[in-house]
Amino acid sequence: MKKIRYYDRNQEVLMPVEKRTKTFEEYSLGYTINLAIDEAKRCILCKDADKRCMKGCPINVDIPGFISKIAEGNILEAYKIITQTDIFPSICGRVCPQERQCEGACILYFDTVRNKRNKGLPVNIGALEKFVGDFVRISGIEPSVEVEDKKGYKVAIVGSGPASLGCAYELARRGIDVEVYEALPKLGGVMFYGIPNARLDKSILEYEINKLKKMGVKFHTGIVIGRSVSLKELKESFDAVFIGVGAGRGNLGIKGDNLINVYSAIEFLMNIALGCPMADIKKVAIIGGGFTAVDCAISAIRFGMETHVVYRRTRETSSARDEEWDHIQEEGAIIHWLTQPKEIIGDENGYAKGLLCVKMELGEPDESGRPRPVEVPNSEFVIDCDAVVLAIGQKPNPIAFEELNLKTTKWGTLEVDQHYMCSVDGIFASGDVVNGGDTVVRALKEGKEAAKHIYDYLINKFRRS
Amino acid sequence: MAEVLEVIDISKSLKLITLKSLYLSKAKPGQFFIMQYQEKPERIPVFIMDADIERNAVSFLLQKSDDMVVTEAFENIKPGQKLHYVEGPAGKPFPQLEYKNILFVSINWGFAGIYNVAKHLKPKNKIDLAFINSDAVHLEDLRSYTGIFDSVYEFDSVEAFSKIDKPYDVVVSAGSNELAKELVSVYEDKNVLCAVITRMLCTVGLCLACRIQYDGKLKLPCVEGPWLEANKIDFDDLNRRHLILKEVLVRSRKS
């Protein structure tokens, strides 16, 4: 009988701390083929994986299927299995919070059927997925994608983030002509502008987008839908329109948010991605506890800033990956859990010079079931800093759809029906602009799902007419 | 990428550039676009001076400046060259105004935005121009383009500018936040509209880099401007942030 290897999880090789804090090169160097095969052999290939790791994966990748192929040394076959559902294995392997998805449901770690913690460490599914994607890309193998015959319909896609790319892939595969309109110079949305190169090398994104180009997807940059071209014009020129403009506009609303050197997270990260000049910041306080806050911290550390992260809740309730908190702590970030920022303090010239905070403790559960943080009396303190980054909340960019008065929710997100169609016939949307901001993999999934509904819409519409 | 069709030297500090761009040529009066001369410089918001849909062409003024990366573009731009990136048109078009007496006030390259809007409003309005000469640009440099105005006034400094004794309904300015601020105090009983100059990154209202305090609230000139009511703008806040940006850019260029 095969011995179950509960504990000997293979970790990816990391760049040494002293080296990685000085470079924006990727710090997680990935598996060698030997390590990947060894890790793949830890998987016990559960027969009921659809109730476990596969269920935990938002796009239901056939995890035992691809892992068994790695164990056999057949990486190309593993790639084919993954890409049946996940078109970007190299990206999802890097940016998904696997410990709350597939790995959180790995039987070695947690028995989802019996709902009880098991004694071991999960198979490193994320690292294996990344390995497969990287192996194929670096080998120069070009796996073919079967594209159906042209159906004679064309769809415009607004934005080029993960939802849009997922939608573009699925439509192009089904023989629909797709044109993607992006305002910014680089394609990929949050994957280019929001995730630092240290976590997702931009060349990977470029490779994946080139795959779509080879499938016939056309990309246009520099076009601001709602300004350069109206949504109405787009709708008149195409058989359907998909809106995947994401959500990046963060919340401000803290006293002192208009001081000099107070940035929204997307401004801070875009500055870096675009290579724009940065102010000379020595100490930065980043407010937030999600992926975006971690990405800001990764970037700030690499610019040599003393980096503080301030989050009102605990690490357990954070949406960022566990290991990323470990990584930035190793790199010197000072993390203030259960800390509520109250005010950004400015100097006489209008520069930020400190963040007034108060300590919190966990109280009774709130409506979400999470313990509500409550202020600890007389616990105010000031974090000395010369810049503050607000990585809290997300709102969609409305200019793409304001003109047609598409119905929105009270949070400003687009209202869609069960087919991802907006309140105007022929206009669809998904991803962050609908869900308000979530993971790359969820956006990818919803983009693909919307594409299936767009396809049905086109086929039925033209069959009727 | 956008091809440079024509470069006209207006003065030693000012050039009129014409680009080929299908989308920019559809710009409505008062809109701007974003230019990146090279892959990794600052994104520069540029007023559209003229948009010619038949030629797929758009023109703008480029002014030499010591503290902006635009200087590099100014010194090297030539016909046939392709700019790394243009984006737009962006911003809201200028609001339609009819049967009014309008005073346009302009300094430096802001004339491009003024010219574009004035041409649009001329058929139904009386339009005058007050131009503030600077070290870089004099009214004389732009004489070929001032024929559309009913009257033209020239001043040598913002300080020298005073009330022009005419019953203007609206005052419109472009080229300087300081000028707009001054106009609010000079024309305190008039509606003063100005094109806000602020740093822009995303141009779609997401990054908040361009944010200003407007009537006590946050406003994003990239999507809600650039033409805003000057008396509602907190110029002290705006200019403070703008000055910092200048400092950052100067330091960046030197390093």
Side-chain angles (χ1 to χ4, degrees), chain B residues 85-121:
Chain B
Y85 181 73
V86 293
E87 174 186 319
K92 283 189 173 174
F94 193 85
Q96 180 70 45
L97 300 171
E98 289 188 20
Y99 307 110
K100 305 237 181 192
N101 290 313
I102 305 173
L103 175 64
F104 288 95
V105 188
S106 158
I107 187 167
N108 291 331
W109 50 271
F111 181 78
I114 289 295
Y115 177 84
N116 188 235
V117 170
K119 222 171 79 163
H120 162 64
L121 296 179

Side-chain angles (χ1 to χ4, degrees), chain B residues 15 41-42 44 68 99 114 139 154 170 178 188 195 230 252:
Chain B
K15 291 181 179 185
E42 187 70 5
I44 306 159
M68 298 289 275
Y99 307 110
I114 289 295
L139 177 66
E154 185 176 8
V170 180
E178 287 80 5
E188 50 193 13
S252 165

Side-chain angles (χ1 to χ4, degrees), chain B residues 48-113:
Chain B
I48 290 168
M49 183 153 166
D50 226 342
D52 184 343
I53 203 161
E54 287 177 10
R55 287 176 65 210
N56 289 343
V58 67
S59 62
F60 65 100
L61 290 174
L62 191 60
Q63 184 177 327
K64 191 174 183 176
S65 158
D66 291 337
D67 60 2
M68 298 289 275
V69 282
V70 73
T71 300
E72 192 173 340
F74 183 89
E75 284 164 357
N76 298 302
I77 201 161
K78 52 185 176 293
Q81 187 180 17
K82 289 196 171 161
L83 298 187
H84 173 72
Y85 181 73
V86 293
E87 174 186 319
K92 283 189 173 174
F94 193 85
Q96 180 70 45
L97 300 171
E98 289 188 20
Y99 307 110
K100 305 237 181 192
N101 290 313
I102 305 173
L103 175 64
F104 288 95
V105 188
S106 158
I107 187 167
N108 291 331
W109 50 271
F111 181 78

Side-chain angles (χ1 to χ4, degrees), chain A residues 83-85 87 145-155 157 165-178 211-212 214-217 239 445-460 463:
Chain A
T83 51
Q84 282 169 6
T85 42
I87 58 170
V145 179
E146 280 186 30
V147 175
E148 294 174 15
D149 292 339
K150 292 281 183 195
K151 303 294 190 301
Y153 309 127
K154 54 181 186 172
V155 173
I157 292 184
L165 296 183
C167 184
Y169 174 90
E170 195 59 35
L171 287 172
R173 198 180 65 74
R174 290 167 179 245
I176 307 293
D177 287 328
V178 178
K211 279 200 311 200
L212 296 183
K214 285 176 190 163
M215 291 169 71
V217 177
D239 298 312
K445 173 197 171 192
E446 292 177 354
K448 287 181 71 183
E449 283 177 356
K452 289 171 191 164
H453 291 293
I454 294 170
Y455 181 85
D456 291 344
Y457 166 84
L458 294 172
I459 298 296
N460 291 328
R463 194 178 287 153

Side-chain angles (χ1 to χ4, degrees), chain A residues 33-91:
Chain A
I33 190 159
N34 291 339
L35 273 180
I37 290 173
D38 187 63
E39 184 64 16
K41 286 178 178 171
R42 287 186 67 226
C43 179
I44 59 172
L45 308 175
C46 299
K47 294 281 186 290
D48 58 352
D50 59 330
K51 295 179 186 135
R52 301 180 187 278
C53 55
M54 287 176 67
K55 191 177 175 188
C57 171
I59 41 179
N60 313 116
V61 168
D62 177 3
I63 292 167
F66 92 79
I67 290 184
S68 66
K69 291 298 167 192
I70 298 175
E72 291 169 15
N74 190 346
I75 313 303
L76 190 55
E77 196 54 35
Y79 183 87
K80 284 179 186 166
I81 291 171
I82 297 174
T83 51
Q84 282 169 6
T85 42
D86 175 9
I87 58 170
F88 298 146
S90 283
I91 295 175

